[in-house]
Amino acid sequence: MKCNWINGLREFSIIENFFASLPYSRKDVVLGIGDDAALVDVPPGKLLVSSIDTLVEGIHFFEEMPAHALGYKSLAVNLSDLAAMGATPCWVSLAITLPTAEESWLELFTQGFSLLLEKFKLQLIGGDTTQGPLSITVQVLGVIEPDKVLRRDAAKIGDIIYVTGSLGDAAFALNALQYHQQTIPDLLHRLYYPTPRVEEGIALGGIANAAIDISDGLLADLNHILTRSCLGAVIYPEKLPLSPWLCQSASFERSMRYALSGGDDYELCFTVSPSKEQELQNVLRAINCSYTPIGIVGAEKGLYVENAQGRKLASILGYQHL
Ligand code: ADP
Ligand code: MG
């Protein structure tokens, strides 16, 4: 498209000053930012993995969200999708629509974005810069060996269901922001700076049968695995991993609700055959990942929640108390 002006800054000077100079360059990028399209070298024998997500102001984040956190999170949520496939991320594209071009905002946004580029050695290879209501679209491309792919439709009867890390923190923080209530910094950090479980996803390749990242809440996301695999499951809420920050901020009942139905944690939920338990322990301990068994996959369709009082069909949209 012909060169635009965004608030006095020429589109190409925004690209030049903020996006073309980001930190990491990879040997497998044949042609990066600056031409009509980018060229990358995909290693022979590997599959190309692609994922894209858009964050729109007012829908996916509040106006108050700091630019640094927004830059970080817009890349984190895509990396989380690649992690849930077991893929190694390599290349990133960024399409950004800005209402105005404020240099300080762009500086902070690109700093947040760069944290994950550097951490995972990714290169920004292209994108688009336009004017309009604030919206950020990120595409991440990665590679994977064909026999290491973690799909949603591959859970097996008898698999143990696990989650990484802890659940419910981000949902607590989101709720606090919505109702203008105080939240401790650790919980807000979980909402603004989720950790994409990239190393964990790669480690699970060849061990887990199915995996998904938890963006919409454990019940809703686990249900995707179950419906795609044509199976059911029972989960045990007492086993859900809750962070000490959540436990100190909310009642057990409320923490449970956030852990089951809140989203935005970007932990992985995955299923593993009991025969691979030792292998699982070895690979996840080697990368210092905490993980917790929370349930079991079965032939009977439906997602059930079971505690000492009994077993009940989970309501996917809103967890109902037992
Ligand atoms: P065209 O008009 O051919 O689409 P653009 O002026 O949109 O070209 O972009 C010029 C170059 O800058 C392209 O290589 C494009 O991929 C890159 N680019 C544009 N916006 C961004 C951005 N936000 N992040 C990274 N690269 C960008
Ligand atoms: Mg363009």
Side-chain angles (χ1 to χ4, degrees), residues 21 35 51 124:
S21 52
D35 214 305
S51 175
L124 183 66

Side-chain angles (χ1 to χ4, degrees), residues 148-293:
K148 295 282 170 70
V149 177
L150 304 172
R151 300 169 53 126
R152 293 182 182 184
D153 62 4
K156 303 271 180 303
I157 294 170
D159 276 4
I160 307 201
I161 301 164
Y162 295 89
V163 291
T164 59
S166 64
L167 299 178
D169 292 355
F172 179 92
L174 182 64
N175 185 77
L177 285 181
Q178 272 164 337
Y179 294 99
H180 305 287
Q181 288 163 354
Q182 285 290 327
T183 172
I184 56 175
D186 301 277
L187 292 175
L188 195 59
H189 196 267
R190 286 291 312 264
L191 178 67
Y192 281 166
Y193 293 93
T195 305
R197 297 289 192 172
V198 174
E199 290 108 340
E200 291 81 352
I202 295 168
L204 290 172
I207 296 176
N209 284 327
I212 193 166
D213 65 320
I214 305 177
S215 54
D216 297 334
L218 172 66
L219 294 178
D221 289 317
L222 174 57
N223 199 50
H224 291 312
I225 291 187
L226 299 174
T227 47
R228 296 292 294 271
S229 302
C230 300
L231 294 171
V234 184
I235 58 169
Y236 305 97
E238 290 91 350
K239 296 200 170 179
L240 294 180
L242 305 176
S243 75
W245 311 296
L246 184 59
C247 293
Q248 97 186 41
S249 302
S251 67
F252 180 71
E253 271 283 296
R254 211 168 140 213
S255 304
M256 233 357 90
R257 208 165 59 235
Y258 289 135
L260 286 167
S261 303
D264 270 309
D265 283 314
Y266 297 97
E267 297 292 352
L268 294 182
C269 172
F270 54 96
T271 81
V272 180
S273 153
S275 65
K276 293 199 170 165
E277 204 187 329
Q278 188 61 49
E279 226 181 310
L280 177 70
Q281 193 181 98
N282 296 344
V283 296
L284 290 187
R285 286 221 175 137
I287 55 171
N288 262 325
C289 171
S290 72
Y291 65 104
T292 312

Side-chain angles (χ1 to χ4, degrees), residues 55-65 70 134-136:
L55 299 181
V56 178
E57 186 177 90
I59 309 281
H60 303 102
F61 61 92
F62 298 127
E63 197 186 337
E64 313 80 85
M65 184 159 180
L70 192 57
L134 182 59
S135 159
I136 297 137

Side-chain angles (χ1 to χ4, degrees), residues 1-3 11-12 14-16 18-20 22 32-38 92-96 113 124-130:
M1 292 243 300
K2 91 179 169 36
C3 190
E11 179 193 333
F12 77 68
I14 297 174
I15 299 169
E16 201 58 37
F18 296 100
F19 301 122
L22 291 190
I33 292 175
D35 214 305
D36 296 313
V92 180
S93 296
L94 167 67
I96 188 162
F113 196 82
L124 183 66
I125 56 168
D128 202 17
T129 306
T130 52

